[in-house]
Amino acid sequence: MSARFTSYIYYFTHQFREEERMKSTNDEDRKKESSLDWRLNQTLRNVQGLLKGRSFPGKVLLSRKTEDAVNADSSEPTSTTGISGLENELGTSQSSEGAAKRDSHSDGSATSYATEEKSAPSFNNEDYKATEFQKSNSGARSTDSTRIAKFVKELSSSTVELDTLRELAWSGVPPYLRPTVWRLLLGYAPPNSDRREGVLMRKRQEYVDCVAQYHDISDADRTEDEIHMLRQIAVDCPRTVPDVPFFQQTAVQTSLERILYTWAIRHPASGYVQGINDLATPFLVVFLSEYLEGSMENWVMSDLSRESMLNVEADCYWCLCKLLDGIQDHYTFAQPGIQRLVFKLKELVRRIDEPISRHMEEEGLEFLQFAFRWFNCLLIREIPFHLVTRLWDTYLSEGDAFAEFLVYLCASFLLTWSDQLRRRDFQEMVLLLQHLPTQNWTHQELEMVLSRAFMWHVMFDHSPSHLNG
């Protein structure tokens, strides 16, 4: 590990820890600090593994675990101008042949969401659970034996501890556990296992009733606005994830139409807004994985019974409701929530990488021209679809802090191409940002973006004024 990199980590971590100690004025603060220590003290091991060519870890955190090594490499901490240097050292996405092979079997590489059972896994028999977890085609991180054991322990408990589940899920969830984990993280399914089945049955029936009341009626019973909205949804559904053949099936588009129209009718403050159709797709794929086996490329919706299809739709609908409840001002008139996040992104990029911020300003490139779509569709259109569910593991793990974290994520995503952008004029930058070369991305590139976002979030978390302009 280079002296420059270790010094960078030491400097910022030392500064961060000193501020935290001064702010810890009661037992609750000390408890939070202890929890943060546990998270921070994983970083250097993970980053060392990356620099040595091993497969990229899950969440990369700042750490001062090996201060002796830091002191041996450098006696002077670097200044904040070392960020660009860190970008260069961490920005490479090359890995060893072994790591590449492990990535090729990850949960997204083959767009595979295989399940061992057609229903949600049971967590009653420990031996059975351990065997089933090991069978999961979920990638190196998701099948790490220690993390698997933690998932098993948490999901087996009578009452799931959501904070623990969020910590686990941040770094990725084994694919066939995603339906269960996502329902819990979004608050759709209750943590208490005794109540879970009853709640799901009731909510699924409620959705069926809503579809019958709002969707399965004639146009004569709709208002002009409702007719227009339904037609717009019907036009957008075939355009949803057009490069994935699965979404071109008529039955899939019909399900999307029912979900989106029902949501729009029951949320009149915003109604349907283009882009919400993309947000339903990860839920649809994840919940279908409980009923359809093998690769998504081979899924045929006609293989499902109507009851199963409605169960999937209901889960998608309620989880979409939970997600959008936290960011509904993104989709109300003039979409003020997105406007606010775009402004924060501009300020954050200026703080992190002032040269690229100045270059974009000199060329007249407005962040709204490219970042609006990023926030509107939560980056679904910017990365290969087989990586989306992994990205959403992190989204849902953030809970109430999701919108704030999204700003850091988009900053990390943008600055992935910082060097290329500096060399381009206005038109060339627009073309690059509208057609980003992510089609060959693997989990390694995505993990890099997530890790940088987390690092900056930790660094600036207690300096809220940095986004005030």
Side-chain angles (χ1 to χ4, degrees), residues 180-199:
T180 300
V181 172
W182 281 19
R183 291 187 194 105
L184 289 166
L185 291 178
L186 283 164
Y188 168 44
N192 189 312
S193 60
D194 293 338
R195 298 180 53 238
R196 201 168 299 152
E197 184 176 353
V199 168

Side-chain angles (χ1 to χ4, degrees), residues 45-96:
R45 289 196 304 273
N46 292 339
V47 178
Q48 284 172 328
L50 169 65
L51 297 180
K52 289 177 182 176
R54 295 200 295 270
S55 64
F56 197 84
K59 188 192 306 185
V60 170
L61 316 177
L62 292 175
S63 173
R64 52 187 185 134
K65 179 70 175 177
T66 56
E67 288 189 4
D68 291 339
V70 172
N71 295 332
D73 285 339
S74 174
S75 58
E76 293 291 333
T78 59
S79 67
T80 54
T81 58
I83 289 179
S84 297
L86 177 67
E87 296 285 336
N88 292 333
E89 293 187 37
L90 286 182
T92 59
S93 59
Q94 299 182 6
S95 62
S96 65

Side-chain angles (χ1 to χ4, degrees), residues 162-364:
L162 293 180
D163 287 342
T164 302
L165 189 62
R166 287 190 185 96
E167 183 69 31
L168 286 170
W170 205 103
S171 298
V173 181
Y176 81 97
L177 284 180
R178 279 197 177 110
T180 300
V181 172
W182 281 19
R183 291 187 194 105
L184 289 166
L185 291 178
L186 283 164
Y188 168 44
N192 189 312
S193 60
D194 293 338
R195 298 180 53 238
R196 201 168 299 152
E197 184 176 353
V199 168
L200 292 181
M201 288 179 61
R202 177 172 57 81
K203 299 297 283 185
R204 287 167 178 170
Q205 184 58 49
E206 185 178 342
Y207 170 78
V208 172
D209 294 340
C210 287
V211 169
Q213 180 180 355
Y214 302 122
H215 182 273
D216 297 342
I217 59 176
S218 67
D219 284 352
D221 296 323
R222 306 184 205 274
T223 66
E224 287 298 321
D225 288 341
E226 291 171 351
I227 293 173
H228 176 74
M229 184 166 59
L230 181 57
R231 288 175 180 171
Q232 183 61 58
I233 292 172
V235 168
D236 285 348
C237 284
R239 301 172 179 172
T240 305
V241 199
D243 55 335
V244 178
F246 169 74
F247 290 103
Q248 303 312 305
Q249 296 183 39
T250 301
V252 175
Q253 294 174 12
T254 300
S255 291
L256 279 174
E257 180 183 300
R258 283 196 290 260
I259 294 167
L260 296 171
Y261 183 74
T262 303
W263 184 89
I265 289 295
R266 299 192 68 184
H267 294 80
S270 60
Y272 173 72
V273 176
Q274 287 180 308
I276 296 179
N277 54 313
D278 290 278
L279 307 189
T281 57
F283 295 126
L284 188 61
V285 168
V286 166
F287 294 129
L288 277 171
S289 70
E290 291 185 292
Y291 298 89
L292 299 174
E293 298 180 351
S295 170
M296 185 177 70
E297 297 171 353
N298 301 320
W299 286 356
V300 178
M301 294 291 283
S302 59
D303 293 342
L304 282 181
S305 66
R306 177 170 174 78
E307 180 183 1
S308 297
M309 188 64 252
L310 288 174
N311 285 344
V312 170
E313 286 183 25
D315 290 355
C316 292
Y317 169 78
W318 290 113
C319 286
L320 182 65
C321 288
K322 294 289 187 179
L323 175 72
L324 294 179
D325 282 349
I327 54 173
Q328 192 163 349
D329 64 346
H330 288 202
Y331 305 100
T332 53
F333 178 73
Q335 298 179 259
I338 292 180
Q339 304 264 7
R340 184 172 60 253
L341 294 188
V342 170
F343 172 78
K344 288 185 176 182
L345 174 63
K346 180 179 180 179
E347 293 301 306
L348 182 61
V349 171
R350 183 178 61 83
R351 174 71 176 255
I352 295 173
D353 193 335
E354 196 275 336
I356 188 60
S357 175
R358 184 173 63 252
H359 175 66
M360 293 170 67
E361 185 174 351
E362 290 172 351
E363 291 293 328

